[in-house]
């Protein structure tokens, strides 16, 4: 018969194993690491989790994760309030912010339309987007920055379709060859897409 | 292209096998169920990660084991040394998923699409007869595998196609359950007892104002689908045209011009093979989807598209599947395979390796010798139960030569003609024999 962990340890291991990218073995390692010594570090971690869970919520304007509502970006006086960039999740906001070029606002969908997973337009933060557009007529451009996956494309197309009657300028980010990458390493689909969307120089 | 070595672990009935392979023709013989075909299957697997016999990887794992590995080393016609390795592991836990890993030159290949077209082998096997006799899916697979091997973007398009069609079908089913979108609008208008004669100025609920009707969602998937379908169909039409040309050439050669073969791509109505542009196909398919929408919602699935199409094989003007004899069907399959070989060689610039699984015994003398001509210059692997089946022509050849020599009257002549023949054939010169017994392969010294 195999060795059985005591209930508290088993519970901890199972909790770790639910995290993305953590398997059974890693979960065990983490659990024992926490219990081994430095209990104060572990308790600090527990506090950090508790605190984040309690204070972080969705921004009522853009649906990004924030502690203060509205979030930093939505409150900022220096940002361009005529543009909204639509992304799939909060991580994408962080990615876009790293380029520093974009000074507009965001809207986080928290998912993409996918009938196979029972996610329809009502299940992502689209309603919030349209309410926002209705209340803010200063918005001139919507930038669709969902991922270039089947579902990301479908969601972008869907939003573009709904926006059409409003006359708001709608753009889609370009797909192409990563900078600094050699052409020979690009996969065929990326390369052909980049080729189709070539530009005059 | 030349295979240099093959390594098998837990594959079918092989525990462990390592073979170093020189150039030439390799004959694997032995009784039934010893593992001859399994060997060819393993080599073929390295071309497109799908066996010619099954789509289920778990069947390839030796009984009682939890993984298999197939590894080959080969040299391309440009002289590069390359290798492909496939690993498959059963699910490790209940409810877990099995894993497949592919390595190219010892580096992991991220996507299945990226292994297409690395290694080229063509298999001639008894199962091929299904291309003529079987249902449309057999012919679609033949075409899909062929195109994918010369065009990775096509394979990606196919993967995307299945994804989009899955999404669209799911949406169709949802629409069916919720009543068609027309029905839903009608419900809202008339649910409170008013009729269309009563003016309805009340605002519809906000959600419906924002999401006009579920049909708008279907539009999006239709558009996505049409874009991918047009790419797939364009390539299928182009390749079918070439395939038809080459197959009709080779059947004429095989049958001394007795048979005429024509291959047509049979898609949704209105699609023809006369140089249609991708844009035209996309527009036609979109129209088709719109027209069949109600029907599709009713069925909960997409009624037309690349997953429903067929290749029509006509022999002497009539449908081959229904009106040709067993022998004629064999000729058709053989000419399709030779056409595949010609196309692959033309499009990749590599000479594929040929795998002949017990096919010689099924061919008559004239077809056998025609096939021999075709396979000259390729590295060949073949299986048989009896080696005498493979080279009966050898006997005839020698006696013919002796006759000729006797007629021309000289010992010297005979030996030079024999040498000529050996050189010209290239294939009688280095044949390697192996006996296959219960998952072991023993090289034999014959010549």
């Amino acid at each position: 018969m195999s060795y059985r962990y005591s209930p508290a340890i088993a519970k901890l291991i199972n909790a770790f194993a639910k995290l993305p990218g953590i398997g059974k073995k890693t979960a065990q390692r983490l659990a024992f690491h926490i219990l081994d010594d430095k209990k104060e570090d572990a308790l600090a971690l527990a506090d950090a989790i508790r605190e984040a869970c309690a204070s972080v919520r969705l921004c009522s304007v853009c649906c990004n994760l924030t502690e203060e509502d509205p979030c930093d970006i939505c409150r900022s006086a220096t940002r361009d309030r005529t543009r909204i960039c639509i992304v799939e999740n909060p991580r994408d906001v962080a990615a876009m912010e790293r380029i520093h070029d974009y000074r507009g606002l965001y809207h986080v969908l928290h998912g993409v339309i996918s009938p196979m997973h029972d996610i329809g337009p009502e299940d992502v933060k689209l309603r919030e987007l349209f309410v926002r557009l209705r209340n803010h007529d200063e918005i001139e451009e919507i930038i669709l920055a969902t991922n270039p996956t089947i579902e990301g494309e479908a969601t972008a197309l869907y939003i573009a379709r709904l926006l059409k009657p409003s006359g708001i300028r709608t753009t889609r980010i370009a797909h192409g060859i990563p900078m600094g990458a050699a052409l020979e390493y690009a996969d065929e689909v990326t390369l052909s897409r980049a080729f189709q969307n070539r530009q005059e120089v | 292209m030349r295979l240099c070595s093959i390594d098998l672990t837990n594959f079918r009935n092989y525990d462990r096998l390592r073979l170093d392979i020189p150039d030439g023709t390799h004959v694997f013989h032995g009784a039934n169920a010893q593992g001859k075909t399994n060997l060819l299957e393993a080599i073929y697997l390295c071309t497109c990660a799908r066996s010619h016999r099954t789509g289920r990887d778990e069947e390839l794992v030796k009984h009682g084991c939890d993984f298999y590995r197939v590894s080959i080393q080969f040299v391309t016609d440009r002289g590069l040394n390359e290798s492909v390795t496939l690993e498959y592991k059963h699910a490790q836990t209940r409810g877990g998923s099995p894993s497949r890993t592919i390595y190219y030159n010892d580096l992991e290949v991220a996507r299945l699409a990226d292994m297409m077209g690395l290694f080229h082998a063509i298999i001639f096997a008894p199962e091929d007869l299904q291309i003529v006799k079987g249902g449309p899916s057999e012919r679609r697979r033949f075409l899909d595998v062929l195109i994918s091997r010369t065009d990775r973007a096509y394979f990606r398009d196919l993967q995307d196609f299945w994804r989009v069609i899955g999404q669209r079908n799911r949406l169709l089913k949802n629409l069916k359950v919720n009543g068609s979108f027309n029905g839903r609008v009608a419900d809202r208008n008339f649910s409170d007892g008013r009729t269309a004669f009563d003016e309805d100025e009340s605002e519809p609920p906000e959600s419906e104002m924002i999401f006009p009707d579920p049909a708008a969602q279907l539009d999006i998937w239709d558009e996505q689908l049409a874009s991918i379908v047009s790419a797939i169909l364009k390539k299928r039409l182009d390749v079918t045209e070439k395939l038809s040309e080459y197959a009709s050439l080779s059947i004429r050669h095989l049958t001394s011009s007795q048979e005429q073969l024509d291959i047509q791509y049979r898609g949704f109505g209105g699609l023809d093979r006369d140089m249609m542009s991708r844009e035209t196909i996309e527009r036609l398919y979109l129209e088709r989807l719109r027209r069949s929408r109600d029907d599709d919602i009713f069925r909960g699935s997409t009624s037309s598209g690349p997953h429903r199409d067929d290749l029509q094989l006509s022999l002497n003007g009539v449908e081959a599947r229904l009106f040709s004899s067993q022998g004629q069907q064999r000729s058709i399959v053989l000419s399709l395979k030779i056409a595949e070989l010609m196309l692959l060689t033309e499009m990749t610039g590599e000479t594929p390796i040929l795998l002949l699984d017990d096919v010689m015994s099924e061919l008559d003398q004239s077809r056998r010798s025609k096939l021999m001509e075709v396979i000259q210059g390729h590295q060949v692997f073949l299986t048989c139960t009896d080696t005498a089946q493979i080279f009966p022509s050898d006997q005839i050849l020698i006696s013919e030569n002796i006759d000729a020599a006797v007629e021309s009257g000289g010992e010297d002549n005979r030996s030079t003609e024999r040498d000529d023949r050996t050189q010209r054939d290239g294939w009688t010169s280095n044949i390697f024999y192996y006996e296959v017994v219960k998952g072991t392969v023993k090289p034999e010294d014959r010549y």
Side-chain angles (χ1 to χ4, degrees), chain B residues 44-101:
Chain B
Y44 182 72
L45 202 59
C46 297
T47 64
C48 59
R50 189 197 187 277
S51 156
H52 69 292
R53 291 198 284 187
T54 176
R56 295 158 54 89
D57 259 338
E58 61 265 33
E59 289 175 20
L60 305 179
V61 180
K62 187 178 162 74
H63 190 71
C65 299
D66 65 350
F67 77 99
Y68 78 73
R69 187 185 301 116
V70 172
S71 188
I72 58 164
Q73 288 180 299
F74 56 99
V75 187
T76 66
D77 287 355
R78 290 187 302 158
L80 301 172
N81 285 299
E82 312 205 317
S83 72
V84 167
T85 302
L86 270 88
E87 269 176 19
Y88 168 85
K89 252 193 203 92
H90 284 318
Q92 293 300 295
T93 52
R94 211 191 315 184
S97 53
S99 69
R100 178 163 58 185
T101 323

Side-chain angles (χ1 to χ4, degrees), chain B residues 368-385:
Chain B
R368 197 180 298 164
S369 57
K370 295 267 167 61
L371 180 59
M372 294 291 201
E373 284 170 32
V374 172
I375 64 186
Q376 297 300 321
H378 294 264
Q379 191 185 28
V380 181
F381 294 78
L382 51 86
T383 67
C384 60
T385 40

